[in-house]
Amino acid sequence: MRQELLRQIPKIDVLLEDERLSRVIERYGRTRTADVLRAVTGEIRQAVLSGKENNLPDVETILQTAQCRLEENPAYSLRPVINGTGIILHTNLGRAPLSDRALQAVKAAAGGYSNLEYRLDSGSRGSRHDHVTEILRELCGTEDAMVVNNNAAAVLLALAALARGKEVLVSRGELIEIGGSFRIPDVCEQGGAVLREVGTTNRTRLSDYKGELNEETGALFKAHTSNYRIVGFTEETSLEELSGLARENGIPLIYDMGSGLFEGLERYGIEEPDILHAQKAGADVLTFSGDKLLGAAQAGLIVGRKKYIEKMKRHPLARALRVDKMTLAALEATLYEYRDRNQARREIPVLRMVSESPEALRKKAEELCARLKGSAGNGRLTFAVEPCQDRTGGGSAPLNVLEGYAVTVRLDAGRTEDISAPEKKGISGTDIHSLEDLEKALRLAEFPLIGRITQDRLWISVRTLLAGNEEKITEDFKKISLSL
Ligand SMILES: *Cc1c(COP(=O)(O)O)cnc(C)c1O
């Protein structure tokens, strides 16, 4: 009976010749259409083999299923994935997801013409920076603002525009490296400034800066040590002290803040500097990322004193480092959310993830777990809810752990009958013999899910799941379990 059913599953070659598929093949190509047909018939085969299916779908249904899949999933290289790592700002997974309003703003700006560099009031040429200057001044309490490609670009531009050919004083404790290619000494060099190291790794005092200061000094530079902390016998010169020194000598104090927050997040256990405090303490130029804890698009925000920012806006590098209209649209819409802090916490995904309570996360994990048990729990997959430790990531708050909840998956690696599976690109249930295989199958699934393996189980933290992810995870697991 089974064998008979298996024989009746239509062959790929035959399906490809079907008239009803000719438009689909024209549009998506023969190879890709064949791949999808192979996946669809492969699933039918698995369902028959496992005894879950006693009737074959008709050819029309098979063709329609394949067509729907092709339409929903163009074979782009850059694709959405589901972040089950519990790391909120996962740089490899694209850092911050945008709020709904930011997405709408991007769509509106990108899908048509806009007043990007055009003044509607006078009908004359405008500046792209103008769209976010006002709101940034309001939120940061600074005189002026501009936006470039990312924070690395912001630091480079600040050094090139304000300290080229001059010396820049930086504490030895703050010679940071962020993700390989961004290293303060290299950025100084590229900006044409001469790095002068001050103090020691663990202690740098105001007198150390004073000792190095001379007529060649062009700026004081302070960097937030985003991705590491120096603890123990330490001393750091405060922003107030540094700004006093900068003021006395008529040079700017540049502060690379990393994430940059409009409001401290200590109550969630996250220690990162906030912009208003740094501005009040007297930093002249502040730079921070748009897509870290701020929760907007990739960008480098520069706020501070007008005379310095104007110099940066006029610098030739500004053109090379400029942002496009989509970034500005996402950024402006996100900044608007911050006018109402409660709204910001509700609407900006990164802030929502940071502030989610353990109880809410546990409930979310229990719901997902119940769903998975209901549709994918079989002899070999078992699901449970367990507490886990999440992180902000993206080189922010390296020591801070966020208490979260995960659905954990255990796999009974017992033997499966190894039928000769059809040719396949990914990995199907019959290949799953270990947790590593399961992790790979989920990565290669229709909705790629990134989880992590520790302690003999696969962890899917629910903190970083976005609306609609649960259904997709369930579908992924359902397909995998059907063939296990
Ligand atoms: C993340 C970070 C950068 C780099 O920012 P990008 O927006 O990724 O370019 C620079 N400096 C500090 C202190 C950072 O934390």
Side-chain angles (χ1 to χ4, degrees), residues 215-426:
E215 359 14 299
E216 292 307 311
T217 312
L220 303 185
F221 183 89
K222 186 169 181 61
H224 170 55
T225 58
S226 298
N227 51 7
Y228 65 98
R229 294 286 186 268
I230 294 177
V231 293
F233 185 56
T234 62
E235 186 169 340
E236 190 183 325
T237 315
S238 71
L239 277 174
E240 286 86 352
E241 289 173 303
L242 286 177
S243 79
L245 185 64
R247 210 56 50 90
E248 279 163 33
N249 290 276
I251 53 173
L253 167 61
I254 302 166
Y255 182 25
D256 172 10
M257 304 189 71
S259 248
L261 295 173
F262 294 121
E263 181 179 43
L265 294 174
E266 291 84 8
R267 89 189 96 140
Y268 307 114
I270 292 172
E271 293 151 29
E272 286 286 312
D274 72 271
I275 300 158
L276 273 174
H277 169 261
Q279 188 272 331
K280 288 204 182 99
D284 298 293
V285 173
L286 302 163
T287 77
F288 47 96
S289 293
D291 59 351
K292 288 189 178 171
L293 285 167
L294 213 64
Q298 180 191 300
L301 289 83
I302 310 174
V303 300
R305 286 158 70 95
K306 196 172 185 70
K307 64 171 175 177
Y308 297 126
I309 302 230
E310 278 192 336
K311 259 188 161 171
M312 287 186 237
K313 284 182 181 166
R314 283 198 305 267
H315 193 277
L317 265 181
R319 168 63 189 253
L321 303 175
R322 80 180 184 185
V323 284
D324 73 324
K325 58 191 176 188
M326 293 184 274
T327 303
L328 280 167
L331 190 58
E332 187 183 11
T334 309
L335 293 174
Y336 264 78
E337 307 274 26
Y338 276 97
R339 284 196 158 148
D340 174 344
R341 297 301 150 98
N342 288 323
Q343 177 166 322
R345 260 190 301 276
R346 266 196 322 271
E347 300 293 331
I348 300 175
V350 167
L351 290 191
R352 201 165 58 218
M353 289 176 190
V354 162
S355 59
E356 197 127 52
S357 71
E359 304 88 77
L361 290 168
R362 187 160 62 138
K363 197 158 158 272
K364 199 169 159 186
E366 274 162 4
E367 279 166 15
L368 176 61
C369 187
R371 246 177 211 276
L372 290 170
K373 277 181 179 163
S375 46
N378 66 15
R380 294 188 59 209
L381 292 177
T382 38
F383 302 95
V385 171
E386 295 186 64
C388 67
Q389 300 200 318
D390 298 330
R391 300 199 172 262
T392 49
S396 306
L399 304 181
N400 303 142
V401 165
L402 302 166
E403 299 300 335
Y405 279 90
V407 172
T408 56
V409 191
R410 287 172 194 270
L411 175 79
D412 167 8
R415 288 186 53 77
T416 43
E417 49 174 316
D418 209 338
I419 39 129
S420 52
E423 325 149 36
K424 56 200 171 282
K425 261 166 87 182

Side-chain angles (χ1 to χ4, degrees), residues 26-47:
E26 225 168 79
R27 170 123 205 231
Y28 298 99
R30 204 176 172 81
T31 316
R32 172 121 175 89
T33 307
D35 282 346
V36 172
L37 285 170
R38 211 169 281 125
V40 173
T41 52
E43 281 157 26
I44 298 170
R45 168 189 291 268
Q46 297 293 355

Side-chain angles (χ1 to χ4, degrees), residues 12-37 63 66-67 70-71:
I12 307 298
D13 301 347
V14 178
L15 290 172
L16 283 171
E17 291 311 314
D18 196 298
E19 274 287 292
R20 287 166 288 186
L21 217 52
S22 60
R23 296 265 312 267
V24 173
I25 293 174
E26 225 168 79
R27 170 123 205 231
Y28 298 99
R30 204 176 172 81
T31 316
R32 172 121 175 89
T33 307
D35 282 346
V36 172
L37 285 170
L63 297 183
Q67 181 169 353
L70 283 162
E71 278 161 11

Side-chain angles (χ1 to χ4, degrees), residues 72-220:
E72 281 167 17
N73 260 335
Y76 297 141
S77 167
L78 181 62
R79 291 199 290 155
V81 305
I82 299 170
N83 179 3
T85 64
I87 298 169
I88 299 172
L89 300 168
H90 201 302
T91 300
N92 299 154
L93 305 184
R95 286 200 187 152
L98 296 178
S99 70
D100 288 339
R101 285 198 190 84
L103 285 175
Q104 285 162 18
V106 171
K107 194 162 181 229
Y113 299 104
S114 63
N115 61 338
L116 181 64
E117 290 189 350
Y118 183 76
R119 295 186 49 145
L120 292 173
D121 50 4
S122 59
S124 58
R125 194 195 155 107
S127 157
R128 65 182 64 213
H129 297 294
D130 291 347
H131 302 292
V132 287
T133 304
E134 268 315 308
I135 180 103
L136 278 172
R137 280 170 47 172
E138 179 189 316
L139 291 169
C140 306
T142 50
E143 288 174 10
D144 203 358
M146 71 181 287
V147 184
V148 290
N149 182 58
N150 56 12
N151 188 27
V155 175
L156 175 66
L157 180 61
L159 292 170
L162 306 178
R164 174 170 291 277
K166 297 271 194 170
E167 289 181 2
V168 177
L169 307 192
V170 189
S171 163
R172 288 197 166 86
E174 296 170 4
L175 294 172
I176 58 172
E177 170 180 311
I178 307 282
S181 51
F182 181 88
R183 303 176 117 189
I184 294 292
D186 299 339
V187 180
C188 269
E189 192 183 321
Q190 291 303 317
V194 179
L195 171 68
R196 181 139 322 263
E197 298 179 17
V198 175
T200 63
T201 305
N202 55 327
R203 310 194 75 179
T204 304
R205 305 182 185 81
L206 185 62
S207 55
D208 295 323
Y209 286 92
K210 281 184 175 157
E212 292 295 342
L213 213 127
N214 60 55
E215 359 14 299
E216 292 307 311
T217 312
L220 303 185

